[in-house]
Amino acid sequence: MASENQDMPPILERLTNAMDSGAFAQVRRMLNRGLPAQDVAHLLESSPPKERDLLWSMIEPEFQGDVLQHLVDDIQAIYLKRMNPEEFLTATEGLETDDIADLLQQLPDTVIQEVLVSMDAQDRHRVEAVLSYPEDTAGGLMNTDTITVRPDISLDVVMRYLRRHQSLPDSTDSVLVVSRGDHFIGRLPIVRLLVSDPNITVREVMDTDTIVIPADMHDSEVANLFEKFDLISAPVVDTEGTLLGRITIDDVVDVIREDADHSLMSMAGLDEDEDTFSPILLTARRRAVWLGINLMTAFLASAVIGVFDATIEKVVALAVLMPIVASMGGIAGSQTLTVVIRGMALGHISSSNTPWLLNREFIVGLINGVIWAAVVAVVAILWFDDLVLGFIIGTAIIINLLVAVLAGASLPLALKWMKIDPALAGSVLLTTVTDVIGFMAFLGLATAFYL
């Protein structure tokens, strides 16, 4: 581990220095009392496997659950698999229901059942309620620890009820109002509760026009709602309108971060939860799959070039200029692909505005194609003293840029319709399209003019 790091907070730097000097008693105190769980998790993720295992062994069992919930899935899985049900229950005691459910989903089904059986009835019911929904839905994201009241009681009764609690759930900005059948009616903001006449009823001051989230809503849509309406928390209901739990802003921030990581890593065919310091063989195996897929697309582009080998042999300048055509198309297509994928993630793109978007990208591609085709054509003419070659490469660039921007705009929409992740597959398909069309246009025109 590095002994100096200017980007590391001072307390983390002191811990790193203590590790290097062998002051393990000091390290143990810092891990369990001196650092927040988030910083301990960051330190584990930033350490190679041997140092990481040593640090983990120094963390007290009752603090391990707090650290685990902040680790990426790969590292979570390593330490969770080493725990028996009793150790898991000790580690996760005091965690929120949704965090416990997230950790449980990393375990084999047989171990999950053992853990659930070991829980008390109330905790088991809450965790099972979250586990019954997919992890990437509102139901899988929600926390069942909510405070509810009836609409016909006075605000004074609500205040006395709240004072009976030793603490309120995190991010409690309102009390949820439900019927006797637990159907969601509205919400009573804490601020309004504090400033209103204590003798009036909840019904008189509660909000009924509030955002309610269906349990089966995808977590990215939940994140969009929180961003759009500046929510701190929101109730989650089933198809019958029964209150199941609530989602808080801290969970939504995690979703936003995971979606951003997913988009970034998927562009390279990697898992957003991959451990930076994962073992060599595991890392090599994961990347080999992506390299194999790219190799197949490269063979396809090479096959197109092979069709025109006679032309290339006759006009050597074609081999020099070929990469320019493919590269220009690849960049233009990637720009469009990125914009469209972002628009889809934000919910900006629909069937009604897709034609306008395709038309815009076509015009943009045409403008840029003409401009840069002229530049490259002039360079080619001056370089090789060949007017025909300048015309060929200029025309090929225009064709490839037009195809590239249309592919960059339409591929994500088509992949989403086929239920394939656009961030994962879009860049591979786009590269294939721009390479094949670019080489075919350039070499095809050259064959027509020179042979």
Side-chain angles (χ1 to χ4, degrees):
M1 301 174 69
S3 59
E4 293 185 3
N5 188 338
Q6 293 180 351
D7 295 328
M8 184 180 293
I11 192 166
L12 289 180
E13 187 176 348
R14 290 203 304 273
L15 190 147
T16 303
N17 292 334
M19 282 286 292
D20 290 340
S21 62
F24 295 128
Q26 180 185 353
V27 172
R28 190 183 299 275
R29 286 195 301 272
M30 294 176 70
L31 288 174
N32 294 287
R33 294 169 185 83
L35 289 175
Q38 295 91 331
D39 286 341
V40 176
H42 175 74
L43 183 65
L44 290 172
E45 291 176 350
S46 305
S47 304
K50 287 186 179 179
E51 286 86 345
R52 179 185 297 158
D53 287 343
L54 179 59
L55 289 170
W56 178 258
S57 67
M58 297 182 187
I59 301 174
E60 295 173 359
E62 59 270 20
F63 188 50
Q64 289 178 349
D66 293 319
V67 176
L68 277 171
Q69 64 177 319
H70 297 293
L71 293 173
V72 296
D73 288 352
D74 274 6
I75 304 178
Q76 272 185 5
I78 292 173
Y79 294 117
L80 284 171
K81 287 177 181 177
R82 299 178 186 176
M83 290 182 175
N84 58 43
E86 290 74 21
E87 290 172 334
F88 181 89
L89 289 173
T90 300
T92 57
E93 184 177 359
L95 294 187
E96 295 184 352
T97 306
D98 56 333
D99 294 325
I100 296 175
D102 288 342
L103 295 176
L104 273 177
Q105 289 171 348
Q106 300 284 342
L107 299 174
D109 290 342
T110 53
V111 179
I112 292 176
Q113 293 305 316
E114 290 181 36
V115 172
L116 290 175
V117 169
S118 303
M119 291 180 171
D120 63 56
Q122 185 181 38
D123 289 341
R124 181 169 62 251
H125 177 72
R126 288 177 173 177
V127 172
E128 286 176 339
V130 177
L131 289 175
S132 63
Y133 292 94
E135 186 178 3
D136 59 355
T137 63
L141 192 64
M142 70 180 179
N143 189 345
T144 58
D145 187 12
T146 60
I147 295 181
T148 60
V149 295
R150 302 281 186 263
D152 53 354
I153 63 175
S154 69
L155 299 187
D156 181 57
V157 172
V158 175
M159 291 292 290
R160 284 189 278 118
Y161 171 64
L162 293 180
R163 291 192 189 101
R164 290 170 51 191
H165 293 75
Q166 292 184 344
S167 63
L168 298 180
D170 292 340
S171 302
T172 298
D173 61 326
S174 61
V175 177
L176 303 182
V177 185
V178 296
S179 67
R180 293 192 179 277
D182 280 338
H183 284 78
F184 179 76
I185 300 175
R187 55 191 291 273
L188 173 61
I190 294 293
V191 172
R192 192 172 301 171
L193 172 64
L194 293 175
V195 300
S196 299
D197 183 349
N199 295 315
I200 63 176
T201 64
V202 170
R203 190 186 304 278
E204 295 176 76
V205 293
M206 70 179 185
D207 285 335
T208 54
D209 183 19
T210 185
I211 301 297
V212 180
I213 298 178
D216 57 357
M217 178 180 284
H218 196 276
D219 60 8
S220 60
E221 296 180 53
V222 174
N224 288 337
L225 283 177
F226 268 71
E227 180 184 10
K228 183 177 180 180
F229 296 101
D230 293 327
L231 302 177
I232 296 175
S233 68
V236 179
V237 299
D238 62 14
T239 54
E240 305 297 324
T242 302
L243 179 67
L244 300 175
R246 68 189 184 111
I247 294 175
T248 54
I249 185 62
D250 58 317
D251 297 316
V252 173
V253 169
D254 290 340
V255 172
I256 294 171
R257 179 182 58 80
E258 289 168 4
D259 285 349
D261 288 345
H262 173 76
S263 297
L264 175 64
M265 299 292 277
S266 291
M267 290 294 185
L270 301 175
D271 185 349
E272 69 268 24
D273 290 315
E274 183 169 349
D275 175 13
T276 305
F277 296 96
S278 61
I280 294 172
L281 292 179
L282 177 61
T283 303
R285 185 172 70 248
R286 285 174 169 171
R287 297 185 186 181
V289 175
W290 190 251
L291 290 171
I293 293 172
N294 278 274
L295 180 61
M296 288 187 286
T297 63
F299 274 129
L300 180 59
S302 297
V304 172
I305 296 173
V307 173
F308 302 99
D309 56 351
T311 308
I312 298 173
E313 287 179 9
K314 185 172 182 179
V315 186
V316 179
L318 298 176
V320 178
L321 297 174
M322 271 194 309
I324 296 176
V325 180
S327 176
M328 292 294 286
I331 294 297
S334 295
Q335 290 171 337
T336 304
L337 182 77
T338 303
V339 170
V340 172
I341 290 178
R342 176 180 178 275
M344 292 168 61
L346 295 175
H348 293 168
I349 298 176
S350 63
S351 57
S352 61
N353 56 30
T354 297
W356 186 94
L357 182 64
L358 292 172
N359 183 62
R360 185 199 68 175
E361 291 303 321
F362 180 84
I363 296 173
V364 170
L366 181 61
I367 294 172
N368 278 325
V370 169
I371 292 173
W372 294 109
V375 173
V376 175
V378 170
V379 172
I381 292 169
L382 295 175
W383 190 354
F384 296 100
D385 194 22
D386 189 336
L387 287 172
V388 174
L389 184 60
F391 171 78
I392 290 171
I393 193 170
T395 305
I397 286 178
I398 293 174
I399 293 172
N400 202 25
L401 255 68
L402 288 175
V403 172
V405 296
L406 290 176
S410 58
L411 276 174
L413 301 172
L415 290 169
K416 184 178 181 181
W417 181 75
M418 293 185 288
K419 300 189 183 303
I420 300 173
D421 186 357
L424 181 61
S427 58
V428 179
L429 294 177
L430 178 65
T431 300
T432 305
V433 169
T434 55
D435 283 354
V436 169
I437 297 300
F439 293 143
M440 189 172 291
F442 184 47
L443 298 176
L445 287 169
T447 301
F449 279 90
Y450 288 119
L451 295 186

